[in-house]
Amino acid sequence: MEYPSKLIEDAVNEVSKLPGIGKKTALRLVLHLLKRDEEQTETLAQSLTAMRTKVKYCRKCHNLSDNDLCTICASNRRDQSIICVVEDTRDVLAIENTAQYKGLYHVLGGIISPVEGIGPSDLQIDSLINRLRGAEAEQVREIILAISPTMEGDTTAFYLQKKIKPFNLKISTIARGIPIGGDLEYADEVTLGRSIISRIAYD
Ligand SMILES: [Zn+2]
């Protein structure tokens, strides 16, 4: 494609690096940004930069957070006796949207995947075990393994279960209202909410 401006071409190239956005869509977005008030585009650029530089991981559960502790870990209205273990922040959002769960989380940052070369040490598993040993040892009664029921998810859940077993906690998993091989993220809120309430013992 021939661009009338090198600056536009650069912007299109950058925007088209985003997932699901081709060159055509990128061009449409860039032209849209050009048409808007300069101020609006400036605000967009600033919010992206601020987000990228300031968002961090909660030091306790590894959820994304603006502060050292995320809003969930910092809240005194959450049930401190349950930790729900999930793959990533999107799962936290999906479960929070159901409004059916009031416990804490632990975000693994992925799942065990030999194909992709992701082993247990690449995930936040040691830090989960440290939570069970540390300050939270007295409070925690139950661990929910809310991990996608794919082959890799099952491998991860099995590994976690072995690690958690010595702590004599109740270990549960979300009921299979979630389609097998499906992502938590895509389960509808009602199904996901129901499967958290009617969670079953991990066996
Ligand atoms: Zn947290």
Side-chain angles (χ1 to χ4, degrees), residues 58-63 69-74 105:
C58 170
R59 67 174 154 80
K60 198 158 138 186
C61 76
H62 309 286
N63 190 12
L69 273 184
C70 72
T71 49
I72 295 171
C73 286
Y105 291 94

Side-chain angles (χ1 to χ4, degrees), residues 2-33:
E2 281 294 324
Y3 294 92
S5 142
K6 175 81 173 71
L7 296 173
I8 290 178
E9 183 177 355
D10 289 348
V12 169
N13 283 338
E14 289 310 312
V15 174
S16 69
K17 286 176 188 165
L18 297 170
I21 300 194
K23 282 271 161 75
K24 264 188 188 169
T25 307
L27 178 61
R28 192 158 50 81
L29 292 171
V30 166
L31 294 179
H32 174 77
L33 291 174

Side-chain angles (χ1 to χ4, degrees), residues 112-144:
I112 297 171
S113 170
V115 179
E116 288 176 45
I118 302 170
S121 60
D122 298 311
L123 306 173
Q124 297 294 349
I125 294 177
D126 285 348
S127 72
L128 172 64
I129 302 305
N130 287 338
R131 285 178 74 175
L132 302 180
R133 281 204 192 107
E136 292 177 90
E138 291 295 303
Q139 306 154 6
V140 180
R141 297 275 170 272
E142 180 179 358
I143 302 287
I144 305 174

Side-chain angles (χ1 to χ4, degrees), residues 2 10 24 38 44 57 73 85 99 106 109 130 134 136 153 155 157 168 171-172 176-177 181 194:
E2 281 294 324
D10 289 348
K24 264 188 188 169
E38 200 173 327
L44 170 67
Y57 293 100
C73 286
V85 181
H106 191 85
N130 287 338
E136 292 177 90
T155 305
N168 280 323
I171 305 175
S172 55
R176 300 296 170 109
R194 208 180 288 140

Side-chain angles (χ1 to χ4, degrees), residues 67-174:
N67 301 302
D68 277 356
L69 273 184
C70 72
T71 49
I72 295 171
C73 286
S75 166
N76 52 16
R77 287 203 294 267
R78 306 293 300 208
D79 182 348
Q80 313 280 324
S81 71
I82 314 176
I83 297 177
C84 181
V85 181
V86 296
E87 290 165 41
D88 63 36
T89 292
R90 287 176 303 176
D91 299 324
V92 174
L93 293 174
I95 294 172
E96 285 300 290
N97 276 337
T98 69
Q100 299 292 339
Y101 177 70
K102 290 286 165 250
L104 303 175
Y105 291 94
H106 191 85
V107 181
L108 294 174
I111 44 176
I112 297 171
S113 170
V115 179
E116 288 176 45
I118 302 170
S121 60
D122 298 311
L123 306 173
Q124 297 294 349
I125 294 177
D126 285 348
S127 72
L128 172 64
I129 302 305
N130 287 338
R131 285 178 74 175
L132 302 180
R133 281 204 192 107
E136 292 177 90
E138 291 295 303
Q139 306 154 6
V140 180
R141 297 275 170 272
E142 180 179 358
I143 302 287
I144 305 174
L145 302 175
I147 296 168
S148 302
T150 57
M151 209 166 74
E152 289 164 340
D154 285 345
T155 305
T156 309
F158 182 70
Y159 182 88
L160 285 169
Q161 176 267 140
K162 274 199 306 185
K163 285 279 199 181
I164 297 166
K165 215 171 179 185
F167 294 95
N168 280 323
L169 301 168
K170 184 177 169 193
I171 305 175
S172 55
T173 179
I174 51 175

